[in-house]
Amino acid sequence: MKKPTEKVTDEILIARFQQGDLQAFDTLVRRYKDQLLNYVYRFVGNRVDAEDIIQETFLRVFKNKHYYKEIAKFSTWVYTIAGNLAKTELRRRKRRKFFSVSNFVNDERDYDIPDLDRNPEQEVDGAIKEAYIQKAIDKLPPKFKEVILLRDVQGFAYEEISQILNIPLGTVKSRVNRGRLKLQEDLKFLLEGEIKHNS
Amino acid sequence: MNDSDKLMEQCSDYIDGNLSPEACREFEQYLMNTPETQETIYRMQMIRDSLNNLPQVQTSPDFEIRLHEKIRTMGSVKSFRYSSRYFADWKVPAVGFAVVFVLVSFFVFYPQSSGDVNITAPRESGFSPNFSGQERVLMAPKTVDAAAASVKHPAVVDDSTQRQKNKDQLKKNIKLVNESSSGN
């Protein structure tokens, strides 16, 4: 996901906000709320929880604005906060053993996941496919999940991911590779069906 | 880690186009020799494309309104927490104790100092002139203000004759004292 070029950079806006310009804060909220929601929503798998986490993220930005230093990009800072809150939520929900497929689609229908042993050649609805992909993402360990989401869903470069997560560049590449390998293994049935369908 | 493992580590770099030309050629040669790896690479590319094309979600229409409300609530909660913490802090009891101490000290020590300010009438002695009661009253003002006023405006309404009388009385007293001492 490419970030649109803006006339006023994020760093200028946060500097204005640090000096008391609340409209600059509102601009930053409008600029980042949806992309942060996409990241956290895919991370925790629940739309309501994801919005609460994004609200808390911006609350922390508001309270701790003076802690931001222009050493790193604002996007790095805000994604770090959101990611940490998402991981905290996952740790808190570790005892929960259920999830709802309906959380992964935008409409109100409930979905039953077909038996994985069934014929993979059957056509799958785009929403069902999305649910399977989300289920596979949920199965990933958090350290693989976060790099996969930042790289393949949010479109960040490896260097940016390294700064957001504060891990070496080589580690980012290694985790992206292993995350993709794990996903393609879990979604083999789905992808083989698409391959046959396309051929 | 053997060579195949090292090459598998390069799968994502190959998919993302991050390999050097030489490394890319080496990897493609490896792919030609391992069909399973080719399938893996193809599935990884599909996974990457599927993730990139996942439906984008948007925040609810009242997202910013709720955020502003939370910010306002946060400010009021913060001030309440600050005030309750302020009263529980050591500074307020200390200030209160200091105020009480000052007040008590004022009321304890002030009556004694006001007593020190008062000018009492001089004690009578044998050497003191034997003034009449009226003169004693006139000579011993009760307050400082009165004493100051007597300097400017003497309470003794006397003329030179009264002063002369006082001098005569003084001489008599001195004479009496001398006679009594010579008699001893």
Side-chain angles (χ1 to χ4, degrees):
Chain A
M1 182 173 168
K2 297 192 172 80
K3 288 178 280 186
T5 54
E6 296 285 347
K7 189 174 181 180
V8 182
T9 65
D10 298 338
E11 287 69 36
I12 291 175
L13 286 173
I14 188 65
R16 288 180 187 171
F17 175 48
Q18 287 174 333
Q19 292 170 1
D21 184 357
L22 294 181
Q23 284 188 349
F25 174 74
D26 289 341
T27 303
L28 286 169
V29 170
R30 280 191 290 272
R31 196 177 282 188
Y32 278 95
K33 59 178 182 172
D34 288 335
Q35 51 180 292
L36 282 174
L37 180 63
N38 274 287
Y39 171 54
V40 175
Y41 171 55
R42 298 296 171 190
F43 208 116
V44 301
N46 181 282
R47 172 70 180 265
V48 174
D49 291 346
E51 275 217 15
D52 289 343
I53 290 171
I54 302 306
Q55 292 260 328
E56 180 61 28
T57 299
F58 285 119
L59 279 176
R60 294 197 178 195
V61 168
F62 189 91
K63 279 192 294 186
N64 303 316
K65 58 181 179 292
H66 295 297
Y67 285 104
Y68 171 76
K69 307 295 177 190
E70 215 172 323
I71 302 170
K73 293 168 64 175
F74 174 77
S75 60
T76 302
W77 187 49
V78 75
Y79 267 90
T80 303
I81 297 173
N84 289 337
L85 288 172
K87 282 184 270 190
T88 302
E89 171 64 18
L90 287 183
R91 283 195 292 269
R92 192 184 67 81
R93 288 194 290 166
K94 217 175 184 180
R95 294 176 184 173
R96 293 190 189 180
K97 301 295 183 184
F98 71 91
F99 78 102
S100 171
V101 178
S102 302
N103 287 330
F104 308 138
V105 299
N106 291 328
D107 55 28
E108 299 297 323
R109 288 179 292 171
D110 285 328
Y111 290 96
D112 293 324
I113 300 177
D115 191 338
L116 299 181
D117 292 331
R118 292 181 64 179
N119 189 346
E121 292 182 352
Q122 65 180 349
E123 286 190 5
V124 291
D125 185 59
I128 297 291
K129 178 184 173 184
E130 179 190 343
Y132 276 122
I133 292 174
Q134 184 62 49
K135 184 180 179 184
I137 292 173
D138 286 343
K139 283 175 63 179
L140 289 174
K143 61 181 181 180
F144 294 150
K145 186 189 298 187
E146 58 189 1
V147 295
I148 287 290
L149 292 177
L150 288 171
R151 175 65 186 166
D152 290 337
V153 176
Q154 300 296 103
F156 280 100
Y158 284 115
E159 292 77 12
E160 290 175 303
I161 298 172
S162 173
Q163 290 181 355
I164 290 171
L165 302 178
N166 197 27
I167 55 178
L169 185 61
T171 305
V172 174
K173 290 185 176 181
S174 173
R175 289 183 183 178
V176 168
N177 190 61
R178 293 173 66 183
R180 284 173 176 170
L181 284 169
K182 183 75 167 61
L183 282 176
Q184 64 86 30
E185 186 65 34
D186 290 343
L187 295 171
K188 194 182 290 187
F189 71 97
L190 191 69
L191 299 172
E192 285 175 351
E194 282 203 12
I195 293 170
K196 289 180 182 177
H197 177 73
N198 291 335
S199 62
Chain B
M1 183 184 287
N2 53 25
D3 290 339
S4 65
D5 291 335
K6 286 182 183 177
L7 287 166
M8 287 303 291
E9 289 282 328
Q10 294 178 346
C11 285
S12 284
D13 283 330
Y14 175 75
I15 291 170
D16 294 334
N18 293 333
L19 289 180
S20 63
E22 184 179 342
C24 188
R25 278 195 297 273
E26 182 182 353
F27 190 82
E28 287 174 346
Q29 186 67 37
Y30 170 72
L31 286 180
M32 286 176 59
N33 297 332
T34 52
E36 284 184 6
T37 309
Q38 285 183 26
E39 290 180 10
T40 301
I41 291 294
Y42 189 60
R43 283 194 292 267
M44 287 175 71
Q45 285 176 328
M46 293 184 67
I47 288 293
R48 184 196 59 179
D49 295 340
S50 296
L51 291 173
N52 201 27
N53 293 322
L54 280 174
Q56 300 293 314
V57 294
Q58 291 183 339
T59 53
S60 52
D62 62 341
F63 179 87
E64 292 186 46
I65 295 173
R66 288 188 287 119
L67 177 62
H68 290 152
E69 185 59 36
K70 286 184 181 179
I71 290 172
R72 273 195 294 272
T73 307
M74 179 181 70
S76 60
V77 167
K78 190 177 178 182
S79 62
F80 172 75
R81 283 183 186 163
Y82 177 76
S83 59
S84 61
R85 197 189 319 152
Y86 184 79
F87 283 114
D89 202 355
W90 63 272
K91 293 178 185 172
V92 172
V95 169
F97 176 76
V99 168
V100 168
F101 180 77
V102 167
L103 289 174
V104 168
S105 302
F106 180 77
F107 286 110
V108 167
F109 294 110
Y110 181 72
Q112 292 179 7
S113 62
S114 64
D116 292 334
V117 174
N118 288 335
I119 299 176
T120 57
R123 288 183 302 168
E124 270 192 335
S125 67
F127 300 96
S128 62
N130 187 14
F131 295 118
S132 64
Q134 182 183 3
E135 291 156 347
R136 190 179 299 119
V137 170
L138 292 175
M139 289 298 289
K142 289 287 191 296
T143 62
V144 173
D145 291 338
S150 67
V151 173
K152 291 183 183 176
H153 306 285
V156 177
V157 184
D158 59 348
D159 49 13
S160 59
T161 55
Q162 187 65 37
R163 281 199 292 270
Q164 189 61 40
K165 282 185 183 176
N166 292 337
K167 283 183 182 176
D168 294 339
Q169 186 66 36
L170 181 60
K171 286 178 182 175
K172 284 182 185 175
N173 290 336
I174 293 172
K175 188 178 179 181
L176 283 173
V177 168
N178 291 334
E179 285 176 356
S180 62
S181 59
S182 63
N184 294 333

